Amino acid sequence: MRIPVLASLLGLSLLACAGNITGGGDDDDVPENCGNGVVDPGEECDGSESCTATCTEDPTATPRLDANVDKTTTTSQLMKAVTVTATLTSAANFAGPVAIAATVVDDANVPLPLLTVAGPTSVELAAGQSAPATFTVTIPSNATGTAMTANLKLAITSSAGNHDFTTAIAIEPTLIISYPAGAGANIGAHPVGVGQVPANITIKRGTMLGYKNDDTVRHVTHGDNGLTHENDGDPTTGAPGATYLQPTIAIAPGGNPPAFGCHTHGSATYVNFTIE
C-alpha cells in the first residue's frame, strides 16, 4: 500500500510544479510593483487614467498635466513663514513649460500687500517627470492685530491643462520670541544678540506678545509702557518651558514704545515694540 500512495503524492507534486511554471509566464511584462499607485523604476505610470495594465503610458492618450498641493489649510503666527509645495506630474508623455502665478489674498480676494510669497514662476517638465514647486509665504510682525485668513492662490497653466489651488492660512495675531537653548546669561546669545529678532519691531494693536523659555535656566521677562513685568519674586516664574504672554489691545498707538525682554540678564535683551 505504501508504493501507490507515494507515487500519488509525487504525481500531485509534479502537477503542481508544472502548473506554477506554466502560469508564471503570463506576468513577464508586468513590473513587480505595478498597481501600487507609485511610479517605481521600470514603470512609466501607475494608476493614472492614461496608464495601461502593464504600467506603460497609452500611446493614444492625450498628453496631460497632473498637479496637487501638500496642504489646503494650515495655521501660523506673526513673524513666521509657511511653505506650500505643488507637485507637477507629466502624464501621457506631456513635456513642456508649466507657468505658475502665486498670489496672497484675503477672503474677499483682495491682495494682502504686507504678506509676501516667493517661489518659481515656471517649471520645465520632461515626459514622465514629476517635479516639486515650493512657495514660501512670509508673515510680517505687523500683518494683523486680529485673527485673519490669508489665501495662497496658485494658478498653474500649461498646454496640457490648467490647475487652480488655494491654501487657506489661518493667522493668529500672536508674536512669540524664544529664549534659545544655551543662552543663559550670555546676552550675545539672546534673541536680539544673535539676530533672531530686531531690537525694534512694529506690530498692530491687539497683537499678543510672548516669550517662550526654550533654555535650561530661568528667564524672567520685563515689560513696561503697557506691558506687565513678570513676577520676579515668584521663583516659579520664567521657568524652562514656560511662555509669558501679554496683550496689547489696551495700548494706544504712538507714545513710548513698550519694551519687552529678559529682565534677569540685562536690558540689552529687550525688544522695543511700536504699536500701529
Side-chain angles (χ1 to χ4, degrees):
M1 291 297 292
R2 294 180 179 174
I3 294 174
V5 171
L6 181 58
S8 298
L9 291 173
L10 288 172
L12 289 173
S13 298
L14 289 171
L15 286 173
C17 291
N20 289 337
I21 294 170
T22 303
D26 293 341
D27 298 328
D28 285 350
D29 295 330
V30 181
E32 180 181 359
N33 295 317
C34 184
N36 66 355
V38 178
V39 180
D40 295 301
E43 298 177 348
E44 296 178 359
C45 55
D46 199 317
S48 62
E49 294 178 7
S50 59
C51 198
T52 67
T54 58
C55 285
T56 57
E57 290 285 1
D58 182 353
T60 65
T62 302
R64 187 180 73 254
L65 171 70
D66 292 337
N68 62 65
V69 292
D70 63 342
K71 57 180 74 78
T72 56
T73 60
T74 190
T75 60
S76 192
Q77 297 179 343
L78 304 174
M79 286 186 69
K80 300 287 186 182
V82 172
T83 59
V84 175
T85 299
T87 300
L88 312 175
T89 303
S90 159
N93 292 313
F94 164 71
V98 179
I100 311 174
T103 54
V104 181
V105 298
D106 63 14
D107 286 337
N109 211 39
V110 176
L112 294 170
L114 291 178
L115 277 68
T116 58
V117 56
T121 57
S122 66
V123 174
E124 188 75 24
L125 276 185
Q129 181 187 16
S130 183
T134 298
F135 297 84
T136 301
V137 178
T138 301
I139 306 165
S141 61
N142 62 337
T144 183
T146 58
M148 67 175 287
T149 297
N151 299 294
L152 170 63
K153 294 199 169 186
L154 300 179
I156 301 171
T157 58
S158 76
S159 62
N162 303 328
H163 298 273
D164 293 305
F165 296 104
T166 299
T167 298
I169 306 169
I171 301 174
E172 301 171 1
T174 303
L175 195 162
I176 296 179
I177 300 170
S178 167
Y179 298 121
N186 180 6
I187 292 177
H190 280 235
V192 174
V194 297
Q196 175 187 332
V197 295
N200 297 281
I201 296 176
T202 298
I203 61 173
K204 292 280 196 303
R205 183 182 186 182
T207 297
M208 182 70 74
L209 294 177
Y211 272 90
K212 183 176 185 300
N213 189 356
D214 288 319
D215 204 354
T216 56
V217 300
R218 187 182 183 213
H219 292 284
V220 176
T221 303
H222 163 92
D224 63 18
N225 294 335
L227 298 176
T228 303
H229 196 298
E230 197 169 12
N231 185 359
D232 199 0
D234 182 350
T236 65
T237 61
T243 299
Y244 183 61
L245 295 171
Q246 281 288 287
T248 64
I249 191 65
I251 304 176
N256 293 326
F260 207 40
C262 182
H263 167 77
T264 308
H265 299 119
S267 60
T269 68
Y270 296 175
V271 175
N272 296 311
F273 288 92
T274 299
I275 310 293
E276 291 184 337

